[in-house]
Amino acid sequence: MLKQAHAISEELIEWRRDFHMHPETGFDVHRTAGIVADELEKMGYRVKRGVGKTGVVAEIGEGGKIVAIRADMDALPILEQNDTDYVSKNTGKMHACGHDSHTAMALGAAQILASEKLNGRVRFLFQPSEETADEEGLSGAQRMEAEGAVEGVDYVIAQHVDPTSPVGTIAINEGPSGGGVDTFFATIIGKGGHGAYPHTTVDPFVLLAHVIMALNGIVSRRLDPFEPAAVSIGVVNGGFAENVIPEIVTMKGTLRFTSLEVQKQIREEVTRAFELTKVFGGNYELKFEFGGLPLINDKYVSEVIAQVGKDLIGDENVHEMHKSLGAEDFPEFLKNAPGAMYTIGTMIPGREIYELHHPKFDLDERALPIGTAVLAETALRFLKG
């Protein structure tokens, strides 16, 4: 399989660089999705366009099990700072998370699988808007899942580039591997007045201080220490003059978790923290917005991916995946079928490592045929099994 993938290396690089030069954000991935759909149709796939607004679903084969392979297509609103022949031509937009390569590698896997005799079906899910949500707070995976993109699927897999690991390696593990996410929006309500007469006010900044202390104590003092979680404040706004105590302070933050039970407990504890405002004579308004499910890799699917990696690139090059509370919307597809996401090393030798979402992020394109081969071979293993 690696030999087949290396044979199309030039095409993989051409796809990846084209997508990189023409990044599109959110659901506005019309050019990218159009190219993907056209290429898949040329390969002989049955293609549906406009799934989940601008997603592409393509299937090949007949009967039997269905294995789904997911790739995200959207870029980020970042001004690229690289100096390459394929630098972004869309100012203020950049493929700083590797979705250009995810799309290219999935297309490569599709090309290889189109020439295989399949004992079942392979379905490709090219999704928009992994990085953001629409006006209703829904991401690309949520939109596509709601429209039946994974209906009837037996297994679903995905990969993500890792600029901190060398080319020729992959990482996979079973169980909790990524965080679920909620956002909270809050308004702390006090009583405004002159800064020279604080005794006549209920200072919302003082209320805020108590709330912040309580929020920062949730993970360390209210949750089970063996449950990964995070409560972080990202935005605080209040006041308009140095000598005026305002009426309100607004704030926003993110909650991360790896189980829905912990999500429920964190929401309860955050609410309890804001109740402190009432103790000191104030009040509050609080709203939670669901952002995404935690990534829980299926045991069997993870084992198959690990074995494919060992067979293709050697036991010593398959590692335990670094777990984090970073969020991905891929778990939306796991509501319908067992699956897993693994990472693939894309580190550029001799160059400073720039993490995902950095304006100087780039990757070693020698990883493209490796990711392509792992996707294609994993799909074949499930169909044979």
Side-chain angles (χ1 to χ4, degrees), residues 83-135:
D83 182 19
T84 63
D85 293 338
Y86 48 88
V87 70
S88 171
K89 293 183 178 181
N90 295 342
T91 304
K93 297 180 182 181
M94 176 192 175
H95 271 293
C97 201
H99 296 186
D100 50 350
S101 57
H102 297 170
T103 302
M105 288 185 284
L107 278 176
Q111 183 167 312
I112 290 172
L113 290 169
S115 62
E116 295 282 336
K117 185 176 181 181
L118 303 176
N119 184 30
R121 288 171 279 173
V122 180
R123 184 181 300 172
F124 282 87
L125 314 171
F126 289 88
Q127 77 156 82
S129 198
E130 186 276 324
E131 300 288 357
T132 57
D134 60 17
E135 63 282 352

Coordinates of all heavy atoms in Angstrom, one line a residue, residues 83-135:
D83 N 7.2 31.9 3.7 CA 7.8 32.4 2.5 C 8.0 31.1 1.6 O 9.1 30.6 1.5 CB 9.1 33.2 2.7 CG 9.6 33.7 1.4 OD1 8.9 33.8 0.4 OD2 10.8 34.0 1.3
T84 N 7.0 30.6 1.0 CA 7.1 29.4 0.1 C 6.4 29.7 -1.2 O 5.7 30.7 -1.4 CB 6.3 28.2 0.8 OG1 4.9 28.6 0.9 CG2 6.9 27.9 2.2
D85 N 6.6 28.8 -2.1 CA 6.0 28.9 -3.4 C 4.5 28.7 -3.4 O 3.8 29.1 -4.3 CB 6.6 27.9 -4.4 CG 8.1 28.1 -4.7 OD1 8.5 29.3 -4.5 OD2 8.8 27.2 -5.1
Y86 N 4.0 28.1 -2.3 CA 2.6 27.8 -2.2 C 1.9 28.6 -1.1 O 0.9 28.2 -0.5 CB 2.4 26.3 -2.0 CG 3.2 25.7 -0.9 CD1 2.8 25.7 0.4 CD2 4.5 25.2 -1.2 CE1 3.6 25.1 1.4 CE2 5.3 24.6 -0.3 CZ 4.8 24.6 1.1 OH 5.6 24.0 2.0
V87 N 2.5 29.8 -0.7 CA 1.9 30.6 0.3 C 0.5 31.0 0.0 O 0.1 31.1 -1.2 CB 2.8 31.8 0.6 CG1 2.7 32.8 -0.6 CG2 2.4 32.5 1.9
S88 N -0.4 31.2 1.0 CA -1.8 31.6 0.8 C -1.9 32.8 -0.1 O -1.3 33.8 0.1 CB -2.5 31.9 2.1 OG -3.7 32.4 1.9
K89 N -2.8 32.7 -1.1 CA -3.2 33.9 -1.9 C -4.4 34.6 -1.4 O -4.7 35.7 -2.0 CB -3.4 33.4 -3.4 CG -2.2 32.8 -4.1 CD -2.5 32.4 -5.5 CE -1.2 31.9 -6.2 NZ -1.5 31.6 -7.6
N90 N -5.0 34.1 -0.4 CA -6.2 34.7 0.1 C -5.8 35.4 1.4 O -5.7 34.7 2.5 CB -7.3 33.7 0.4 CG -7.9 33.0 -0.9 OD1 -7.7 33.6 -1.9 ND2 -8.5 31.9 -0.7
T91 N -5.5 36.7 1.4 CA -5.0 37.4 2.5 C -5.9 37.3 3.7 O -7.1 37.4 3.6 CB -4.9 38.9 2.2 OG1 -4.0 39.0 1.0 CG2 -4.2 39.7 3.3
G92 N -5.3 36.9 4.9 CA -6.0 36.8 6.1 C -6.6 35.4 6.3 O -7.3 35.2 7.3
K93 N -6.3 34.5 5.4 CA -6.8 33.1 5.5 C -5.6 32.2 5.3 O -4.8 32.4 4.4 CB -7.9 32.8 4.5 CG -9.2 33.6 4.7 CD -10.2 33.3 3.7 CE -11.5 34.2 3.8 NZ -12.5 33.8 2.9
M94 N -5.6 31.1 6.1 CA -4.4 30.2 6.0 C -4.8 28.8 6.5 O -5.5 28.6 7.4 CB -3.3 30.7 6.9 CG -2.1 29.8 6.9 SD -0.9 30.3 8.2 CE 0.3 29.0 8.1
H95 N -4.2 27.8 5.8 CA -4.3 26.4 6.3 C -3.3 26.2 7.3 O -2.2 25.6 7.1 CB -4.2 25.4 5.1 CG -5.5 25.1 4.4 ND1 -6.5 24.4 5.1 CD2 -5.9 25.4 3.2 CE1 -7.5 24.3 4.2 NE2 -7.2 24.9 3.1
A96 N -3.6 26.7 8.5 CA -2.6 26.6 9.6 C -2.9 25.4 10.6 O -2.3 25.3 11.6 CB -2.7 27.9 10.5
C97 N -3.8 24.5 10.1 CA -4.1 23.3 10.9 C -4.0 22.1 10.1 O -4.4 21.0 10.6 CB -5.5 23.5 11.5 SG -5.8 22.4 13.0
G98 N -3.5 22.2 8.9 CA -3.2 21.0 8.1 C -4.4 20.4 7.4 O -4.3 19.3 6.8
H99 N -5.5 21.1 7.3 CA -6.7 20.6 6.6 C -6.5 20.4 5.1 O -7.1 19.6 4.5 CB -7.9 21.4 6.9 CG -8.3 21.4 8.4 ND1 -9.5 22.0 8.8 CD2 -7.8 20.9 9.5 CE1 -9.6 21.9 10.1 NE2 -8.5 21.2 10.5
D100 N -5.6 21.2 4.6 CA -5.2 21.1 3.2 C -4.6 19.7 2.9 O -4.9 19.0 1.9 CB -4.3 22.2 2.7 CG -3.1 22.3 3.6 OD1 -3.0 21.7 4.7 OD2 -2.1 23.0 3.3
S101 N -3.8 19.2 3.8 CA -3.2 17.9 3.7 C -4.1 16.8 4.0 O -4.1 15.7 3.4 CB -1.9 17.8 4.6 OG -2.2 18.1 5.9
H102 N -5.0 17.0 5.0 CA -6.1 16.0 5.3 C -6.9 15.7 4.1 O -7.2 14.6 3.7 CB -7.0 16.5 6.4 CG -6.3 16.8 7.7 ND1 -6.9 17.4 8.8 CD2 -5.1 16.4 8.2 CE1 -6.1 17.5 9.8 NE2 -5.0 16.9 9.5
T103 N -7.3 16.8 3.4 CA -8.1 16.7 2.2 C -7.3 16.0 1.1 O -7.8 15.1 0.4 CB -8.6 18.1 1.7 OG1 -9.3 18.7 2.7 CG2 -9.5 17.9 0.5
A104 N -6.0 16.4 0.9 CA -5.2 15.7 -0.1 C -5.0 14.2 0.1 O -5.1 13.4 -0.8 CB -3.9 16.5 -0.2
M105 N -4.7 13.9 1.4 CA -4.5 12.5 1.7 C -5.7 11.6 1.6 O -5.7 10.5 1.1 CB -3.9 12.4 3.1 CG -2.5 12.9 3.3 SD -1.7 12.6 4.9 CE -2.5 13.9 5.8
A106 N -6.9 12.2 1.9 CA -8.1 11.5 1.7 C -8.4 11.3 0.2 O -8.9 10.2 -0.2 CB -9.3 12.2 2.4
L107 N -8.1 12.3 -0.6 CA -8.3 12.1 -2.0 C -7.4 11.0 -2.5 O -7.7 10.2 -3.4 CB -8.0 13.4 -2.7 CG -9.2 14.5 -2.8 CD1 -8.7 15.8 -3.5 CD2 -10.4 13.9 -3.5
G108 N -6.1 11.0 -2.0 CA -5.2 10.0 -2.4 C -5.7 8.6 -2.0 O -5.6 7.6 -2.8
A109 N -6.2 8.4 -0.8 CA -6.8 7.2 -0.4 C -8.0 6.8 -1.3 O -8.1 5.6 -1.7 CB -7.2 7.2 1.1
A110 N -8.8 7.8 -1.6 CA -9.9 7.5 -2.5 C -9.4 7.0 -3.9 O -10.0 6.0 -4.5 CB -10.7 8.8 -2.7
Q111 N -8.4 7.6 -4.4 CA -7.8 7.1 -5.7 C -7.3 5.7 -5.6 O -7.6 4.9 -6.6 CB -6.7 8.1 -6.1 CG -6.2 7.8 -7.5 CD -5.3 8.9 -8.0 OE1 -5.7 10.1 -8.0 NE2 -4.1 8.5 -8.5
I112 N -6.6 5.4 -4.6 CA -6.1 4.0 -4.4 C -7.3 3.0 -4.3 O -7.3 2.0 -4.9 CB -5.2 3.9 -3.2 CG1 -3.9 4.7 -3.5 CG2 -4.8 2.5 -2.9 CD1 -2.9 4.8 -2.3
L113 N -8.2 3.3 -3.4 CA -9.3 2.4 -3.2 C -10.2 2.2 -4.4 O -10.9 1.2 -4.5 CB -10.1 2.9 -2.0 CG -9.4 2.8 -0.6 CD1 -10.2 3.6 0.5 CD2 -9.2 1.3 -0.2
A114 N -10.3 3.2 -5.3 CA -11.1 3.1 -6.5 C -10.6 2.0 -7.4 O -11.4 1.5 -8.2 CB -11.1 4.4 -7.2
S115 N -9.4 1.6 -7.2 CA -8.8 0.6 -8.1 C -8.8 -0.8 -7.4 O -8.3 -1.8 -8.0 CB -7.4 0.9 -8.6 OG -6.5 1.1 -7.5
E116 N -9.3 -0.8 -6.2 CA -9.3 -2.1 -5.4 C -10.6 -2.8 -5.6 O -11.6 -2.2 -5.8 CB -9.0 -1.8 -3.9 CG -7.7 -1.2 -3.6 CD -6.6 -2.2 -3.5 OE1 -6.9 -3.5 -3.3 OE2 -5.4 -1.9 -3.7
K117 N -10.6 -4.1 -5.4 CA -11.8 -4.9 -5.4 C -12.3 -4.9 -3.9 O -11.7 -5.6 -3.1 CB -11.5 -6.3 -5.9 CG -12.8 -7.2 -6.0 CD -12.5 -8.5 -6.6 CE -13.8 -9.3 -6.7 NZ -13.6 -10.7 -7.3
L118 N -13.3 -4.2 -3.7 CA -13.8 -4.0 -2.3 C -14.8 -5.0 -1.9 O -15.8 -5.3 -2.6 CB -14.4 -2.6 -2.2 CG -13.5 -1.4 -2.5 CD1 -14.2 -0.1 -2.4 CD2 -12.2 -1.4 -1.6
N119 N -14.7 -5.5 -0.7 CA -15.7 -6.4 -0.1 C -16.6 -5.6 0.8 O -16.7 -5.8 2.0 CB -15.0 -7.5 0.7 CG -15.9 -8.5 1.3 OD1 -17.0 -8.8 0.7 ND2 -15.6 -9.1 2.4
G120 N -17.3 -4.6 0.2 CA -18.1 -3.7 0.9 C -18.0 -2.3 0.3 O -17.7 -2.2 -0.9
R121 N -18.3 -1.3 1.2 CA -18.3 0.1 0.7 C -17.4 1.0 1.5 O -17.2 0.8 2.7 CB -19.7 0.6 0.7 CG -20.6 0.1 -0.3 CD -22.1 0.5 -0.1 NE -22.7 -0.3 0.9 CZ -23.9 -0.1 1.4 NH1 -24.6 1.0 1.0 NH2 -24.4 -0.9 2.3
V122 N -16.8 1.9 0.8 CA -16.0 3.0 1.5 C -16.7 4.3 1.2 O -17.0 4.6 0.1 CB -14.6 3.1 1.0 CG1 -13.8 4.2 1.8 CG2 -13.8 1.7 1.3
R123 N -17.0 5.1 2.3 CA -17.6 6.4 2.2 C -16.7 7.5 2.7 O -16.2 7.4 3.8 CB -18.9 6.4 3.0 CG -19.7 7.7 2.8 CD -21.0 7.6 3.7 NE -21.9 6.5 3.3 CZ -23.0 6.2 4.0 NH1 -23.3 6.8 5.1 NH2 -23.7 5.2 3.6
F124 N -16.5 8.5 1.8 CA -15.6 9.6 2.2 C -16.5 10.8 2.7 O -17.5 11.1 2.0 CB -14.7 10.0 1.1 CG -13.5 9.1 0.9 CD1 -13.7 7.9 0.1 CD2 -12.3 9.3 1.5 CE1 -12.6 7.1 0.0 CE2 -11.3 8.5 1.4 CZ -11.4 7.3 0.6
L125 N -16.1 11.4 3.8 CA -16.8 12.5 4.3 C -15.9 13.7 4.3 O -14.9 13.8 5.1 CB -17.2 12.3 5.8 CG -17.9 10.9 6.1 CD1 -18.1 10.7 7.6 CD2 -19.3 10.8 5.3
F126 N -16.0 14.6 3.4 CA -15.2 15.8 3.3 C -16.1 17.0 3.9 O -17.1 17.4 3.3 CB -14.9 16.1 1.8 CG -13.8 15.2 1.3 CD1 -14.2 14.0 0.6 CD2 -12.5 15.5 1.4 CE1 -13.3 13.1 0.1 CE2 -11.5 14.6 0.8 CZ -11.9 13.4 0.2
Q127 N -15.7 17.4 5.1 CA -16.5 18.3 5.8 C -16.0 19.7 5.8 O -14.8 20.0 5.8 CB -16.8 17.8 7.2 CG -15.6 18.1 8.1 CD -16.0 18.1 9.6 OE1 -16.1 17.1 10.2 NE2 -16.1 19.4 10.1
P128 N -16.9 20.7 5.8 CA -16.6 22.1 6.0 C -16.5 22.4 7.5 O -16.9 21.6 8.4 CB -17.7 22.8 5.4 CG -18.9 22.0 5.6 CD -18.4 20.5 5.6
S129 N -16.1 23.6 7.9 CA -16.3 24.2 9.2 C -16.0 23.3 10.4 O -16.9 23.2 11.3 CB -17.8 24.8 9.3 OG -17.9 25.7 10.3
E130 N -14.8 22.8 10.4 CA -14.4 22.1 11.7 C -14.0 23.1 12.7 O -14.1 22.9 13.9 CB -13.2 21.1 11.4 CG -12.8 20.3 12.5 CD -11.8 20.9 13.5 OE1 -11.0 21.7 13.0 OE2 -11.9 20.7 14.7
E131 N -13.4 24.2 12.2 CA -12.8 25.2 13.1 C -13.9 26.2 13.7 O -13.6 26.7 14.8 CB -11.8 26.1 12.4 CG -10.6 25.3 11.8 CD -9.6 24.8 12.8 OE1 -9.8 25.1 14.0 OE2 -8.7 24.1 12.5
T132 N -15.0 26.3 13.1 CA -16.0 27.3 13.5 C -17.4 26.7 13.5 O -17.6 25.6 13.0 CB -15.9 28.6 12.7 OG1 -16.1 28.2 11.3 CG2 -14.6 29.3 12.8
A133 N -18.3 27.5 13.9 CA -19.7 27.1 13.8 C -20.5 28.2 13.1 O -20.1 29.3 12.9 CB -20.3 26.9 15.3
D134 N -21.7 27.8 12.7 CA -22.6 28.7 12.0 C -23.4 29.6 13.0 O -23.2 29.5 14.2 CB -23.5 28.0 11.0 CG -24.4 27.0 11.6 OD1 -24.6 27.1 12.9 OD2 -25.0 26.2 10.9
E135 N -24.4 30.3 12.4 CA -25.1 31.2 13.3 C -26.0 30.5 14.3 O -26.4 31.1 15.3 CB -26.0 32.1 12.4 CG -27.1 31.4 11.6 CD -26.5 30.7 10.3 OE1 -25.3 30.9 10.0 OE2 -27.3 30.0 9.7

